[in-house]
Amino acid sequence: MLRTILRRAIATGPRSDGPWRLTATANYSSSKDTKSTVKKAKKSNKSKGEATAAADDDAYAGADADLFDDKGRARRLQADESDPSLDVGPNGRPLFTSTPTLAQLTSMDSCSYFKFKTEELNKVLPEGLPLGMVREFEEAMQSAVLVRQSFLDLRDNFRRVVDPPLGSARSKGSKVKKQIVLDGPVSCGKSTALAMLVHWAREEGWLVLYVPRGKDWTHGGFFYKNPQTGLWDTPVQAENILKDFLKFNESRLKQLLCQISDPIPLGEGAGVGWMKDGIDSMAMPEGSTLYDLVDTGIKHTHAAVGVVVRLRKELSLVKDIPVLIAIDQYNNWFTFSEYEEAVTVRSTRPIHAKELATVKAFRSMIHDDMMVGAFSHSTAVGKLRQDLPDVPSDARINFPRYTLDEAAAVCHYYLRQRLIRREAFSEENCKRIYYLSNGNGAEMRWLATFMREQ
Amino acid sequence: MLSRLLPKPSHFSLLTRISTKFHPCPHPQFPSPLQNPTFTTFLPRFFSAGGDGNNGQSPPDVWNLSKETDENFDPLFGESSGDVSGIAEADSWTKSTGGDEWETVPGFRPWSLGGEEDKGDDLFQVGDGVQTRTSVESDQEDEGKRIEEAKRLEKEEKELTAVLKGPNRAFGDLVAASGITDEMLDSLIALKDFRGIKGLPPLHEIEDIRYRKNTSKSSRADIERQKQEEVAKARVRLVDDKGRAYGTGRRKCSIARVWIQPGDGNFVINDKQFDVYFPMLDHRAAILRPFSETKTLGLWDINCTVQGGGLSGQVGAIRLGVSRALQNWEPDLRPTLKASGFLTRDSRAVERKKPGKAKARKSFQWVKR
């Protein structure tokens, strides 16, 4: 929305009293510009609808059209690609790392950007990217993420789980955690870090169940009560889960055998009711692979939920390759779902997420498998308890915000991506952006567009 | 004999002097604590005829006291034996302490101090001494005795005053309890003798100087300069013992307390991160303005508490508090802050509602008829 306002402001032309020296309308600003006054003044500009002298129209239209004219900007970025001298980060360090894979990143590479190729990214993460990442790529017009020390620590933790370093394990400072919950303030990079972790794990060859939106499990589709288990089945959502799982891991699943041979309990199908003739379980043939199991769940909607529950058990029994369960928007699983149960004719009772069969199967962290959950502020969950049920007490870590160095790298990156005008850029402004947003990633991105020379 | 009892002016003056010397109580009638419990009623008694034993006792006591200060009463002692008997009676009377039958001052506590008994005895050995003089003796002996008595009386007076000043119940207790010592009393300037002090010019000189100072018209420039010097001297860095500078800020019912110390750039308000407490960017920008103006953006660790008012009011209060704390830390920043206007306490507050108007200024809806 802001962009449309800005575009309109540009269309009406800047005021005649100089470039961007818009008068203050907010109480707290002085005659000098601040980001807030710019925002307010632009709004008032639009509402007043001034048409001022068009003398300096063209000049400013040219320079600032970058911000608002995506095509023009894309064109200029295209031209920039050939110029490597622009890729300079804070203190003259290179802005982009040259390491080819996430696995080879070291702490030397922190505070620099890692470029992804879009197709490759979509291939490795076919379930979808987290919203924050998508927005970032859109704004910067490039698929590059900042390498942060916090991500490297996360990755190293799981590396150590899989290959414990010989002998020097005791000397390592922090304990290796198999289950982690990423908590932290708004826009501090939790979902992005989780996505990068999944990317790295899949490159390493692990079997990863990635859930980019945990909210999908508790919202949407049909829900039926299963009298045998006493839980609520969500066949449509279960089917989606299985399909997502299959997207990347198909070939891998074909190599793994099922280890539990109990028949799968059947539930109510999506919109079709129970199976005829009272059949309530389906047997899996001997020697079927996990792929067959998942396929059965997709094909037979009655079996979807049962397959999901069975899959969870199977995943803990996989010994050949490391298994990682990565769930974003994990905090949605600790509150109520959108489903309700009719208690009387007139009133309903909201169903908690733990009463759903799918969620119940996957939510617990009290096990020996590797699991990462990331909280999200994008969903209206609110504040959760300090000690979550089924979560080990040391699993919850506070994901740190951006530091000053990381913020400087971010500003340089935006400069490179033509989000900030070159004349307006300065270290002082970078610092100001950082302190104003207090390390909030999305806000820094938004503020960067308003950077002015002072 | 009655003429003795008649009041002489000198008696009164002596009595008053004696009474002040013996630390009169706050009690309006001046009871002399030690010797005469009925000293309060002394004066009226003094007039009555020496009929009852009470009255008979008091005059000799009085004369005992006055004996120390004024030798004029010697002939009184050398008088007839009736006097002596009176003294003997006085002696017997004063020996019986306790004094239940005496009409005492309301609030009088019969005090029994061991030393006092002795002193009383000592004192009334004078009486004894007098008592033993049954026969009229020669003047010379009298003289000698009188001198001795005088000396003894002086000595006893000193001891008594020491006793008095020690466990003085009425006024002296308060004095002692409050810790005021004799040295302190001596040092009271008002009682000092200002004649021999070095460097103190004589009074007329002091008066001259004063006069000149009062009447001379110091030029405007001088006054201004003096004022500026004072102000400049007051610009001292104020840092508390934990190395933090403090500032208070107020705006429109909000009060903020701000502590700053050099550090990383953490900003904690009421134990929350400051972007959690002020989600709006405008507020945060306003609070950080003093830092950006003085170019000290990330150098401080700020801790502040704020209460009262609404969000904007709290923002204003914190900003003022921050500016004041900055100025306390580094007085050189004051001109910059002053120029930007961050050091002014915004005195705008909610205007009161007036009668005849709906709100402070808004009038009621106008009705034509």
Side-chain angles (χ1 to χ4, degrees):
Chain A
M1 193 198 97
L2 191 60
R3 289 198 152 192
T4 52
I5 296 167
L6 297 176
R7 280 205 195 100
R8 242 173 285 177
I10 285 293
T12 58
R15 291 158 68 119
S16 54
D17 52 339
W20 301 110
R21 213 152 293 272
L22 301 157
T23 53
T25 51
N27 276 339
Y28 293 104
S29 41
S30 67
S31 58
K32 291 195 192 161
D33 293 326
T34 61
K35 301 155 189 51
S36 51
T37 53
V38 167
K39 171 177 129 198
K40 279 204 167 145
K42 282 195 173 148
K43 276 203 179 128
S44 66
N45 218 355
K46 162 204 165 214
S47 57
K48 285 180 198 163
E50 288 184 20
T52 55
D56 27 17
D57 233 0
D58 296 330
Y60 293 106
D64 297 293
D66 277 359
L67 300 177
F68 320 119
D69 176 13
D70 292 335
K71 288 205 200 68
R73 185 167 147 229
R75 239 185 310 120
R76 288 192 186 83
L77 281 176
Q78 205 58 14
D80 280 343
E81 288 292 320
S82 50
D83 186 1
S85 69
L86 289 174
D87 297 346
V88 61
N91 303 330
R93 292 180 65 222
L95 193 59
F96 297 103
T97 57
S98 46
T99 38
T101 57
L102 284 176
Q104 291 166 3
L105 288 172
T106 62
S107 54
M108 296 288 296
D109 299 309
S110 68
C111 296
S112 55
Y113 272 77
F114 183 85
K115 272 197 219 175
F116 287 116
K117 294 190 203 32
T118 324
E119 326 77 47
E120 181 216 329
L121 199 59
N122 288 334
K123 196 161 66 75
V124 176
L125 293 171
E127 294 100 338
L129 296 173
L131 197 56
M133 257 175 118
V134 168
R135 266 200 228 122
E136 164 84 13
F137 292 164
E138 215 177 277
E139 286 246 0
M141 291 192 172
Q142 191 178 73
S143 319
V145 280
L146 182 66
V147 176
R148 291 172 69 189
Q149 188 57 41
S150 33
F151 163 68
L152 295 173
D153 293 337
L154 195 66
R155 182 200 63 175
D156 291 341
N157 175 61
F158 283 104
R159 223 183 231 167
R160 269 187 281 141
V161 169
V162 175
D163 319 307
L166 314 158
S168 58
R170 297 287 176 277
S171 62
K172 291 277 179 196
S174 54
K175 202 171 76 80
V176 167
K177 291 187 201 165
K178 276 196 162 178
Q179 298 91 25
I180 293 185
V181 175
L182 298 175
D183 198 0
V186 186
S187 292
C188 67
K190 307 179 282 281
S191 302
T192 310
L194 188 68
M196 285 167 72
L197 188 72
V198 169
H199 185 107
W200 166 76
R202 282 188 172 161
E203 276 182 0
E204 295 272 304
W206 295 16
L207 182 64
V208 182
L209 176 74
Y210 178 46
V211 178
R213 276 168 296 279
K215 192 171 170 185
D216 285 346
W217 290 34
T218 56
H219 289 67
F222 296 107
F223 58 101
Y224 307 106
K225 180 135 192 189
N226 192 328
Q228 277 120 28
T229 56
L231 302 171
W232 291 78
D233 295 343
T234 51
V236 180
Q237 309 303 93
E239 200 178 312
N240 290 340
I241 295 164
L242 294 170
K243 279 187 188 152
D244 281 342
F245 187 41
L246 220 49
K247 276 178 189 164
F248 182 78
N249 299 312
E250 200 169 318
S251 48
R252 186 53 65 86
L253 288 175
K254 283 185 182 150
Q255 298 158 6
L256 295 166
L257 292 172
C258 291
Q259 297 183 15
I260 306 175
S261 45
D262 299 337
I264 305 164
L266 294 179
E268 218 167 317
V272 296
W274 293 91
M275 278 286 261
K276 295 189 286 262
D277 310 325
I279 307 172
D280 59 352
S281 66
M282 177 190 290
M284 291 300 303
E286 264 311 314
S288 50
T289 59
L290 281 179
Y291 174 75
D292 297 328
L293 178 70
V294 174
D295 208 33
T296 322
I298 295 174
K299 288 214 185 68
H300 301 95
T301 163
H302 300 270
V305 178
V307 165
V308 169
V309 177
R310 175 60 58 81
L311 183 66
R312 177 70 182 90
K313 296 200 192 92
E314 293 278 355
L315 281 179
S316 22
L317 294 173
V318 171
K319 294 289 175 263
D320 306 340
I321 43 175
V323 177
L324 176 68
I325 303 172
I327 300 161
D328 213 340
Q329 294 182 353
Y330 190 51
N331 49 350
N332 268 95
W333 289 5
F334 289 93
T335 182
F336 291 105
S337 61
E338 76 165 354
Y339 314 126
E340 284 169 348
E341 176 189 7
V343 173
T344 66
V345 178
R346 262 174 301 198
S347 65
T348 56
R349 175 189 78 97
I351 299 175
H352 200 275
K354 65 177 182 247
E355 297 173 39
L356 300 176
T358 46
V359 171
K360 187 159 200 279
F362 276 87
R363 185 176 89 157
S364 166
M365 279 203 172
I366 314 282
H367 49 69
D368 206 27
D369 308 320
M370 292 189 283
M371 186 158 163
V372 186
F375 278 14
S376 169
H377 287 262
S378 317
T379 58
V381 172
K383 213 168 159 182
L384 289 177
R385 282 163 46 182
Q386 262 313 106
D387 48 343
L388 295 167
D390 300 334
V391 168
S393 46
D394 61 343
R396 199 163 169 173
I397 61 171
N398 226 356
F399 207 67
R401 285 186 142 129
Y402 283 77
T403 62
L404 191 54
D405 307 318
E406 288 167 1
V410 162
C411 287
H412 280 265
Y413 176 66
Y414 290 144
L415 174 69
R416 161 76 175 78
Q417 296 300 116
R418 289 183 171 265
L419 274 169
I420 307 174
R421 278 172 45 228
R422 204 152 279 275
E423 307 83 50
F425 182 79
S426 70
E427 296 294 319
E428 182 70 27
N429 278 340
C430 288
K431 243 177 40 161
R432 258 195 226 133
I433 287 180
Y434 170 67
Y435 283 113
L436 205 55
S437 65
N438 207 14
N440 185 328
E443 223 173 69
M444 283 200 285
R445 187 166 57 229
W446 184 75
L447 284 173
T449 53
F450 290 112
M451 204 192 265
R452 307 264 157 265
E453 66 260 39
Q454 287 274 342
Chain B
M1 189 169 142
L2 273 175
S3 63
R4 244 186 297 126
L5 300 170
L6 281 173
K8 287 191 194 160
S10 51
H11 282 222
F12 281 113
S13 54
L14 276 172
L15 285 170
T16 49
R17 255 188 278 149
I18 288 160
S19 55
T20 51
K21 192 170 179 184
F22 281 91
H23 305 283
C25 293
H27 203 284
Q29 306 155 331
F30 32 80
S32 164
L34 178 64
Q35 302 187 344
N36 190 357
T38 61
F39 194 64
T40 51
T41 52
F42 166 74
L43 276 173
R45 293 260 171 82
F46 193 60
F47 296 101
S48 58
D52 39 327
N54 296 355
N55 277 329
Q57 317 318 319
S58 18
D61 278 350
V62 172
W63 293 339
N64 278 342
L65 294 171
S66 56
K67 183 79 167 141
E68 297 131 21
T69 53
D70 199 342
E71 298 293 316
N72 291 340
F73 295 105
D74 283 2
L76 294 172
F77 277 101
E79 274 188 279
S80 62
S81 54
D83 205 355
V84 175
S85 62
I87 291 169
E89 285 172 39
D91 187 27
S92 64
W93 162 73
T94 49
K95 281 247 176 0
S96 69
T97 51
D100 304 301
E101 69 269 30
W102 293 107
E103 301 160 37
T104 52
V105 176
F108 163 68
R109 288 170 284 129
W111 27 281
S112 56
L113 296 165
E116 197 181 331
E117 287 280 359
D118 294 334
K119 299 306 172 230
D121 283 335
D122 273 342
L123 188 64
F124 295 111
Q125 269 158 25
V126 175
D128 279 338
V130 175
Q131 197 174 12
T132 51
R133 281 192 307 147
T134 49
S135 57
V136 177
E137 291 164 28
S138 63
D139 279 339
Q140 281 189 343
E141 284 188 7
D142 281 347
E143 270 301 323
K145 291 267 165 122
R146 266 186 264 120
I147 290 166
E148 281 175 30
E149 284 159 18
K151 287 197 201 124
R152 243 181 297 146
L153 283 170
E154 279 184 34
K155 191 178 57 155
E156 279 148 12
E157 187 210 357
K158 285 201 199 91
E159 288 165 352
L160 280 171
T161 51
V163 167
L164 268 176
K165 283 184 185 160
N168 209 338
R169 283 290 177 82
F171 188 73
D173 243 356
L174 295 174
V175 171
S178 68
I180 300 178
T181 56
D182 273 344
E183 293 89 18
M184 287 165 71
L185 288 172
D186 284 340
S187 68
L188 283 177
I189 297 283
L191 305 173
K192 252 200 187 350
D193 180 15
F194 283 108
R195 269 183 288 244
I197 298 180
K198 264 193 185 172
L200 191 66
L203 183 62
H204 60 270
E205 276 192 34
I206 299 178
E207 285 176 354
D208 283 342
I209 295 170
R210 271 297 167 89
Y211 180 72
R212 256 182 274 128
K213 202 158 130 186
N214 281 345
T215 53
S216 73
K217 286 183 294 173
S218 48
S219 68
R220 207 51 205 280
D222 278 343
I223 299 175
E224 293 285 336
R225 205 175 345 110
Q226 269 176 14
K227 284 227 178 89
Q228 274 175 9
E229 276 169 36
E230 255 179 86
V231 158
K233 251 194 292 189
R235 299 256 175 280
V236 171
R237 187 173 144 168
L238 272 173
V239 165
D240 73 356
D241 48 355
K242 287 193 198 159
R244 309 177 295 190
Y246 169 75
T248 322
R250 266 180 266 254
R251 165 124 168 90
K252 214 196 194 190
C253 291
S254 305
I255 305 179
R257 302 182 291 161
V258 179
W259 289 271
I260 62 174
Q261 59 191 30
D264 248 346
N266 301 331
F267 196 143
V268 178
I269 304 182
N270 285 356
D271 295 331
K272 287 188 193 168
Q273 282 294 316
F274 100 112
D275 61 336
V276 170
Y277 198 81
F278 291 120
M280 278 188 66
L281 194 68
D282 292 343
H283 295 160
R284 273 182 267 154
I287 292 180
L288 293 180
R289 287 306 297 285
F291 295 121
S292 82
E293 294 289 325
T294 55
K295 304 205 188 340
T296 52
L297 194 48
L299 311 175
W300 315 99
D301 265 346
I302 308 161
N303 177 22
C304 76
T305 63
V306 63
Q307 70 215 35
L311 270 183
S312 291
Q314 289 187 341
V315 162
I318 293 179
R319 193 176 74 165
L320 181 60
V322 153
S323 313
R324 283 199 185 155
L326 271 180
Q327 182 219 243
N328 273 340
W329 180 271
E330 190 61 66
D332 297 332
L333 295 175
R334 195 187 152 87
T336 340
L337 290 170
K338 190 86 187 262
S340 327
F342 293 135
L343 289 178
T344 317
R345 195 267 197 239
D346 199 335
S347 62
R348 298 178 288 174
V350 177
E351 201 173 315
R352 69 157 275 198
K353 178 197 182 304
K354 283 119 194 162
K357 301 246 178 186
K359 291 165 54 174
R361 304 247 175 131
K362 172 181 177 181
S363 293
F364 292 118
Q365 183 161 1
W366 179 64
V367 181
K368 201 164 178 183
R369 53 181 74 85

